[in-house]
């Protein structure tokens, strides 16, 4: 049984990020993989899961969620044990070494990624397109943070939009996929949903073509990322 945990959907799920769980469940089901989704509300202990989904949020809820995840202390151990985390925007920033909120207040992150997030001079709002190997990732971004990663390991290169710093977006590390893209990102990018499922089950999945692929292509085309 594949277990997907949505982490604190009551405080971290801007732009419907919790919907990533529905996509994983549906795409697992068509491959005959039984799955269960656990919503872990703010204040509850993290359950044992194969995939953890951490979404975006405003600065206040982001700080509170970060505090609680630090106190819980189990996310890093779960990654070491083979779980995979998909983190979006605030979720991504929380996994880093530190992030800046409000007027110059530096907050300590969970230090699971070599990423420091400072405050940009203006918010990054709009469509984001990222090249990830041979794939394109599309989504919507809205954040004040600028993320700097030491030693490489971004998820992909920005085609249009801002991402981490105008050049690259997110992070790809053992046990972690992170991006600034909302959407929910897995609904807009079925290939990424399958990649995360494949990592969690430990084998390559049968291809599954659906209208989601057409919508993804259409979105890429509309954003000028495909000819
Ligand atoms: N509060 C963070 C920022 O503005 C994250 C925002 C978000 O998750 N959309 O940078």
């Amino acid at each position: 049984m594949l277990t997907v945990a949505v982490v604190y959907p009551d405080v971290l799920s801007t732009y419907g990020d919790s919907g990533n769980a529905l996509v994983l469940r549906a795409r697992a089901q068509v491959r005959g993989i039984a799955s269960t989704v656990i919503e872990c509300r703010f204040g509850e202990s993290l359950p044992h899961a194969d995939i953890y989904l951490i979404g975006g949020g405003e600065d206040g809820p982001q700080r509170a969620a970060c505090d609680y995840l630090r106190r819980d202390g189990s996310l890093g151990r779960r990654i070491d044990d083979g779980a995979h985390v998909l983190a979006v925007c605030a979720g991504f920033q929380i996994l880093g070494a530190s992030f800046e909120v409000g007027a110059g207040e530096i907050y300590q992150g969970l230090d699971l990624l070599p990423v420091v997030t400072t405050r940009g001079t203006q918010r990054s709002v709009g469509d984001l397109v990222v090249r990830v190997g041979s794939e394109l990732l599309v989504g919507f971004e809205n954040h004040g943070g600028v993320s700097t990663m030491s030693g490489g390991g971004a998820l992909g290169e920005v085609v249009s939009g801002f991402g981490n710093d105008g050049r690259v977006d997110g992070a790809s590390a053992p046990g972690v996929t992170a991006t600034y893209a909302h959407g929910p990102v897995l609904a807009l990018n079925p290939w990424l949903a399958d990649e995360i499922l494949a990592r969690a089950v430990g084998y390559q999945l049968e291809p599954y073509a659906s209208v989601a692929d057409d919508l993804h292509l259409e979105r890429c085309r509309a954003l000028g990322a495909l000819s």
Side-chain angles (χ1 to χ4, degrees), residues 12-15 17 55-60 62-63 88-93 99-101 117-120 123-124 140-147 180 182:
L12 292 179
S13 182
T14 47
Y15 307 110
D17 291 328
E58 302 303 321
D59 291 354
Q62 175 175 344
R63 270 186 312 212
V88 177
C89 202
F92 171 37
Q93 295 178 4
F99 56 88
E100 184 177 353
V101 290
T117 298
T118 53
R119 211 72 186 165
R123 286 192 78 78
S124 301
F140 175 79
E141 62 182 331
N142 182 357
H143 55 101
V146 175
S147 297
Y180 268 106
H182 299 280

Side-chain angles (χ1 to χ4, degrees), residues 30 34 38 44 56 60 65 75 111 121-122 128 150 152 161 164 168 208 213:
V30 295
I38 301 174
E44 292 174 359
L75 192 63
D111 215 6
T121 48
Q122 58 186 42
L128 172 64
S150 45
N164 295 1
V168 295
Y208 170 63
D213 303 307

Side-chain angles (χ1 to χ4, degrees), residues 42-207:
F42 180 65
E44 292 174 359
S45 304
L46 283 192
H48 276 273
D50 303 296
I51 301 174
Y52 293 88
L53 302 175
I54 312 179
E58 302 303 321
D59 291 354
Q62 175 175 344
R63 270 186 312 212
C66 184
D67 281 344
Y68 209 86
L69 280 171
R70 192 181 307 106
R71 210 173 311 148
D72 181 280
S74 64
L75 192 63
R77 285 200 303 277
R78 299 270 154 75
I79 293 173
D80 291 343
D81 290 346
H84 198 84
V85 178
L86 172 66
V88 177
C89 202
F92 171 37
Q93 295 178 4
I94 285 171
L95 296 189
S98 65
F99 56 88
E100 184 177 353
V101 290
E105 195 187 333
I106 309 290
Y107 228 72
Q108 200 197 330
L110 300 183
D111 215 6
L112 298 175
L113 291 172
V115 174
V116 168
T117 298
T118 53
R119 211 72 186 165
T121 48
Q122 58 186 42
R123 286 192 78 78
S124 301
V125 185
D127 292 307
L128 172 64
V129 183
V130 181
R131 180 163 297 286
V132 183
S134 60
E135 302 283 359
L136 285 173
L137 177 139
V138 293
F140 175 79
E141 62 182 331
N142 182 357
H143 55 101
V146 175
S147 297
T148 306
M149 178 172 277
S150 45
L155 177 63
E157 285 160 25
V158 170
V159 176
S160 61
F162 194 80
N164 295 1
D165 55 3
R167 293 183 311 107
V168 295
D169 176 60
S172 178
V176 180
T177 300
T179 177
Y180 268 106
H182 299 280
V185 67
L186 298 187
L188 294 181
N189 301 277
W191 63 268
L192 184 61
D194 284 355
E195 214 171 275
I196 288 171
L197 276 179
R199 286 195 199 201
V201 295
Y203 56 83
Q204 214 44 49
L205 302 178
E206 283 297 308

